[in-house]
Amino acid sequence: MTLRPVRPRRSLLYVPASNPRALAKAQTLPADGVIVDLEDSIAPDAKDAARREAVAVAAEAWGERELLLRVNGLDTPWGHADLAAAAHAGFDGVVLPKVEGADTVRRALAVLDGAGASETPPLWCMLETPMGVLNVREIAAASPRVAGLVMGTSDLVKDLHAAHTASRLPIVTALGLCLLAARAYGIAVIDGVYLDLHDAEG
């Protein structure tokens, strides 16, 4: 069994790969990790340029910060190229969006392996849909190369036809199921994005 380094993951920042100023600032902030984003925050006509920027950024000095790359989904025009680039770029992990079953994990690993890297990065699976949450156990168990789960709470709330509330009651069941799966299979689990940027205490 390969032992993964123990890292604090108290705060992770999503940063668009197409925003050099934000990426530079992220290198100075006291966050435990940075998720360089190629998916939701990037316009379709900027995807290819953002991928090139992400690869370049991975070679820069990030200190002890964990550096992850969120790629586009495999069923988009950019997903395969994103994964192939990630295989060689030196990221600590790849965040795969909207995972709904173990087959998606296996397909992503096949693309990473096919890119020919000697050691491809581990996968983090985003759970953003009811189907993904229902299948979280098989996703967590799909491969020893699954390092963690990432909650996509914004999309999940939308799919549940719910509302964001301070108590987060609409997603408590989903959060609990994903936490159980992560603990059962010895992998990490990361909460969703905190949306109220004006609430410093929160």
Side-chain angles (χ1 to χ4, degrees), residues 122-156:
L123 276 185
W124 289 72
C125 298
M126 288 201 75
L127 300 167
E128 307 178 70
T129 66
M131 187 62 71
V133 172
L134 289 173
N135 290 331
V136 64
R137 181 177 177 180
E138 72 170 54
I139 293 167
S143 168
R145 292 160 65 183
V146 174
L149 308 174
V150 182
M151 300 305 303
T153 48
S154 294
D155 283 347
L156 184 58

Side-chain angles (χ1 to χ4, degrees), residues 2-88:
T2 301
L3 295 178
R4 299 188 182 101
V6 176
R7 297 179 184 267
R9 295 185 177 112
R10 296 160 295 190
S11 60
L12 285 88
L13 298 176
Y14 284 85
V15 184
S18 60
N19 189 331
R21 288 181 60 189
L23 288 165
K25 184 175 181 179
Q27 295 177 7
T28 69
L29 297 175
D32 292 322
V34 174
I35 301 175
V36 179
D37 187 31
L38 295 176
E39 196 210 12
D40 284 349
S41 65
I42 309 297
D45 61 355
K47 297 280 190 184
D48 293 334
R51 184 188 309 116
R52 292 191 293 271
E53 183 66 28
V55 170
V57 157
E60 296 177 3
W62 289 89
E64 296 299 315
R65 295 174 189 83
E66 189 168 19
L67 191 63
L68 307 176
L69 179 68
R70 180 165 73 166
V71 299
N72 289 280
L74 284 173
D75 296 326
T76 71
W78 312 282
H80 283 71
D82 289 351
L83 283 169
H88 296 271

